[in-house]
Amino acid sequence: MSGTTHEYTSHLVWTGNHGTGTASYAGYGREHEIHVIGKPSLAGSADPVFRGDPARHNPEDLFVAAVAACHMLAYLALCARHGVVVLDYEDRPRGILVTHAGGGGKFDEVVLSPVVTIADGVHEALALELHDTAHERCFIARSCAVPIRHEATVRVAPAEMPA
C-alpha cells in the first residue's frame, strides 16, 4: 500500500566556534541554530550536563516536545472526528535518557501525561480511549524505537450554572 510522501527540511548551522574550532573538547561551544524556511529560528545547544547553554533548546527537550505535540495533534483530530469536544489540553511529558560510561546512550522511555477537559461527560470513556488511537497514529511515535507511554487524565467541564 502506497501513501503520500511529505518531505521536511531544515538548515542546521553550528555557531559555537570560539576561534579554535574543536581543538579541545572544552574549547568549543555547543551553540547552533535551526532554520526552517518561513518559521522563526530556534537557538539550540547541548543540554547543560553536556557543556551546553541552558538558555537554548537542546535536542533532548525538542525530541520529547515533538512526541507530545504530535500525540496532541493526532488526539485533537480524532476527538473532532468522533464528536468529543475538547475544551482544554495540557501535557507535561518527560523522557528518561540513559547515558553509558563509554559515551552515547539512548532514551529509555518517554511518558506523556496529558490532562484533557471535555465538554460532555457522555464522551469520557471515548475521550480516554482515543489516546490509544492517537498513539497508534502519531507520526513521531511510530518513527521511534523508544517506548512511549501515556498516562492520560480526562476531566469533564462543570455544567454551567443556570441563570
Side-chain angles (χ1 to χ4, degrees):
M1 184 166 141
S2 171
T4 305
T5 60
H6 304 272
E7 183 175 319
Y8 298 88
T9 62
S10 60
H11 181 203
L12 178 69
V13 179
W14 174 52
T15 58
N17 183 348
H18 297 168
T20 59
T22 58
S24 73
Y25 182 76
Y28 71 92
R30 277 57 176 175
E31 300 85 14
H32 57 273
E33 294 175 358
I34 302 167
H35 306 280
V36 178
I37 293 174
K39 300 176 183 177
S41 295
L42 288 172
S45 187
D47 186 278
V49 74
F50 304 116
R51 306 187 61 83
D53 182 344
R56 291 177 168 238
H57 296 285
N58 66 60
E60 296 81 11
D61 289 336
L62 294 172
F63 172 70
V64 172
V67 171
C70 188
H71 179 92
M72 178 194 69
L73 293 169
Y75 179 78
L76 294 174
L78 287 164
C79 286
R81 289 182 179 125
H82 285 85
V84 177
V85 177
V86 175
L87 302 174
D88 191 56
Y89 186 110
E90 280 191 42
D91 194 353
R92 295 191 185 276
R94 63 191 184 280
I96 306 300
L97 178 69
V98 178
T99 58
H100 304 290
K106 70 180 191 104
F107 274 91
D108 199 38
E109 74 172 346
V110 173
V111 179
L112 308 180
S113 300
V115 177
V116 180
T117 303
I118 60 172
D120 189 344
V122 73
H123 296 297
E124 191 171 359
L126 177 59
L128 195 55
E129 179 184 317
L130 288 175
H131 279 286
D132 292 332
T133 307
H135 177 72
E136 294 166 8
R137 295 196 182 168
C138 172
F139 305 140
I140 304 297
R142 290 178 51 89
S143 301
C144 296
V146 61
I148 299 170
R149 299 184 299 112
H150 58 270
E151 299 170 347
T153 302
V154 173
R155 297 178 178 159
V156 178
E160 292 189 32
M161 302 294 278

